Amino acid sequence: MSQKSSRSVRDAFNKHVLHPWGDLPGLGEDEHSPIISKSEGIYIWDSEGNKLIDGPAGMWCMQTGYGRQEIADAVSKQIMDLGYATSFFNINEKEVELAERIAEKTPGDLNRIFFTTGGSTAVDSALRLAAMYNNIKGRPNKKKILARDRGYHGSTFLSASVTGKERDKSCLDTLKDDVHFLTAPSLFHKGEGRTEEEFCDYLVDELKTTIESIGAENIMCFIAEPVLASGGVIVPPKDYNRRCYELIKANDILYIADEVVTAFGRLGHWFASGEVFGVTPDIITFAKGLTSGYVPMGGYAVSDALMSEMSGDNAKGNIYSNGYTWSGTPVGCAAALASMDIIEQEGLLAHVQEVGEYFQQQLQTLTASPLVGNVRGTGLMAAVEMTVEADSEEELLEKDYTIGEVVDKHCHKYGLLVRPFINICIMSPPLIITKEQVDTMVEAMRKALEDTIEELTELGIWTKAA
C-alpha cells in the first residue's frame, strides 16, 4: 500500500468507522493504530510494509496461522455447494458433523452443541439456557450469578453484565442486582503476602461465604474462565478451579466454564476444563479458535444430564427460543472442520505443550528488566506487566496507560505486535509458532523494554530509583 493510499485509508477510517472499544474523546483523530494489509503464517504486514509477528494471534483466535489454503478451499467449496442454511427449521450436514466432532472432544457428557456467532453470544445464550432451566424446574428466584473481578465474558448485555472489568462498562448499562463478583484469583495483585496455597484457601472460603450469604437456593450459576484472559492472563492458584467446581456442585449451582479463549488448543488441549484443571462443567462456551479466526462462529456444549432435566416431558411444553441468523451455518462449520483437521494432522496440541513451556520459560527472562513487575501465563497465552511508582491512583493510572502505549510503539518498531492492556502486554501467538520464532518475539520485547525505559526517563515518568 502506498503512502498516499495509506493516508486515504486512515482519513476514511477517522471519518466513518467506530471500532470496538473506540476512543470517544479521540474519535476521528486516530494516527496510531496500524493499518494491516496482508498476512502469512504467524506474520502480518502493516501498510508501511513492516513485517510483524502477530503476538495476540488476532484476538486469541488465529490458531493455525494466516493463509491456510485448506480452510480457504473448504470455505470456497461450501459456499458453492450450500452457502447458507438456517438452523431455525433446517438441518445441514456440516452442522451435524461439527457438533458430533466437538462432542468427541468435550469432557464428560457435554454432548449437546449449540452454535452462535461468537463468544459474547455463546455466553449470552448459555446464561439464558441456565435461567430457562431454573424456570422449568419451578425455581424462578434461583437467578443470581457468581462471577469474578477481572473476568471477561463478552459485550452483549448479559455477557457484559458478568464481566468484571469495570472500566469496560463504566458508562454502559448492565445487569447489576443479580451479579455478584468474587476476588480475582490473582496472587500478584490480590495475594497480600499469602502463599499460593493460603491464597487459594482464601478464595475458596470467600466463595463459600458468598454462597451462604446469598443462599444457594437463589444462585443460578458460577461462570469462570479457566484462565482469565483479557483481564491480564491471570492463572489461578493450583487446585482453585477444581475446588470451586466441587463447592459449586455441592450447592446445586450450575458451573459454566468460559473457554472462548482456552479451547481449541491454546493450552495444548481441545478443552482445558477436564484435561488441565480436572473439571467437568455443566456448560462450556467456546469461539475464537473454533474456526482459527477465519469465520465468525461460537457456541456452547451442554451436558446430557442438564438437558435431560429440561427436555421431553420435563420441558413442560417450552421451547428454547434463542438463536441467531448464522447459528450453525454450513460455511462457518466448514471452516471449523478444516481448522480441526489441521490441528490434528499437524499435531498442534502436542506442539503447543512443548513450545508453550519454552514460551513461558523465555518470557520469564524479561523479569530482569527493572520495568517488569510480573510475567505470567500458561500454554500459549502470557502477560508481561510493567510497574511504576506514583503518588496517587489517578497518577498511577495515567502513567500505566503511557507505559502501555510506549511499549506497544517500540515493540512495533522491532517487528512485534502486542496487545496493550493499560500497563500489560498480552501475547497469545498462533499455535504454529516455533521455538526460533519465540526467541525472536522475546528479543523484540526485550529491546522494546530497554527503549521504553529511555523514553520514560525523558518524559520524567521513570527514574533509576523507581
Side-chain angles (χ1 to χ4, degrees), residues 250-305:
N251 283 277
D252 191 26
I253 299 168
L254 295 178
Y255 189 104
I256 301 175
D258 184 350
E259 291 218 42
V260 166
V261 170
T262 54
F264 295 95
R266 182 59 51 194
L267 301 188
H269 300 276
W270 289 110
F271 292 92
S273 292
E275 294 285 352
V276 181
F277 298 104
V279 169
T280 304
D282 296 292
I283 301 173
I284 295 178
T285 59
F286 54 82
K288 296 191 184 291
L290 172 62
T291 67
S292 278
Y294 282 83
V295 178
M297 196 173 192
Y300 66 73
V302 56
S303 73
D304 290 339

Side-chain angles (χ1 to χ4, degrees), residues 87-107:
S87 61
F88 280 62
F89 48 83
N90 292 317
I91 298 171
N92 74 78
E93 292 182 10
K94 290 297 182 183
E95 176 188 25
V96 175
E97 183 182 353
L98 180 58
E100 184 176 38
R101 193 158 175 191
I102 291 173
E104 292 173 352
K105 314 297 185 185
T106 53

Side-chain angles (χ1 to χ4, degrees), residues 189-246:
H189 299 101
K190 297 292 183 178
E192 298 179 352
R194 302 181 184 94
T195 65
E196 182 176 349
E197 293 78 10
E198 290 169 343
F199 185 51
C200 188
D201 289 341
Y202 165 80
L203 294 170
V204 175
D205 286 344
E206 179 193 38
L207 175 59
K208 181 179 179 181
T209 301
T210 302
I211 293 172
E212 292 172 349
S213 175
I214 300 171
E217 70 278 7
N218 298 313
I219 303 174
M220 177 176 81
C221 67
F222 173 67
I223 183 166
E225 304 159 273
V227 176
L228 285 73
S230 295
V233 189
I234 296 171
V235 183
K238 183 180 179 182
D239 291 335
Y240 165 84
N241 285 312
R242 179 187 57 78
R243 291 178 64 186
C244 287
Y245 168 77
E246 291 173 351

Side-chain angles (χ1 to χ4, degrees), residues 285-419:
T285 59
F286 54 82
K288 296 191 184 291
L290 172 62
T291 67
S292 278
Y294 282 83
V295 178
M297 196 173 192
Y300 66 73
V302 56
S303 73
D304 290 339
L306 188 151
M307 290 306 301
S308 69
E309 295 186 57
M310 57 186 299
S311 59
D313 292 340
N314 291 331
K316 301 177 183 177
N318 290 288
I319 63 170
Y320 179 48
S321 53
N322 179 76
Y324 308 92
T325 301
W326 287 279
S327 288
T329 56
V331 173
C333 293
L337 289 164
S339 176
M340 292 180 76
D341 284 343
I342 293 171
I343 291 173
E344 289 183 338
Q345 292 165 6
E346 298 186 4
L348 290 184
L349 298 183
H351 174 75
V352 170
Q353 293 175 39
E354 179 184 355
V355 77
E357 183 177 353
Y358 183 77
F359 179 59
Q360 300 299 332
Q361 291 171 349
Q362 295 306 107
L363 284 174
Q364 285 297 325
T365 65
L366 297 176
T367 58
S369 169
L371 187 59
V372 174
N374 188 241
V375 176
R376 55 186 178 271
T378 183
L380 281 181
M381 55 191 302
V384 177
E385 182 163 351
M386 282 69 69
T387 57
V388 66
E389 293 181 355
D391 294 328
S392 67
E393 286 294 324
E394 293 77 12
E395 181 188 2
L396 179 61
L397 183 60
E398 183 179 349
K399 286 184 175 182
D400 281 345
Y401 271 111
T402 300
I403 289 170
E405 292 171 1
V406 174
V407 172
D408 178 45
K409 177 182 68 177
H410 289 300
C411 282
H412 192 111
K413 178 177 66 179
Y414 289 114
L416 173 63
L417 185 72
V418 296
R419 182 184 177 188

Side-chain angles (χ1 to χ4, degrees), residues 50-99:
N50 297 307
K51 181 181 179 181
L52 308 165
I53 293 178
D54 184 3
M59 284 284 283
W60 319 87
C61 59
M62 296 303 300
Q63 312 299 73
T64 59
Y66 293 93
R68 298 306 302 232
Q69 190 66 49
E70 305 95 317
I71 297 178
D73 290 345
V75 167
S76 175
K77 183 177 186 306
Q78 189 59 54
I79 288 173
M80 297 309 297
D81 289 346
L82 178 65
Y84 177 81
T86 177
S87 61
F88 280 62
F89 48 83
N90 292 317
I91 298 171
N92 74 78
E93 292 182 10
K94 290 297 182 183
E95 176 188 25
V96 175
E97 183 182 353
L98 180 58

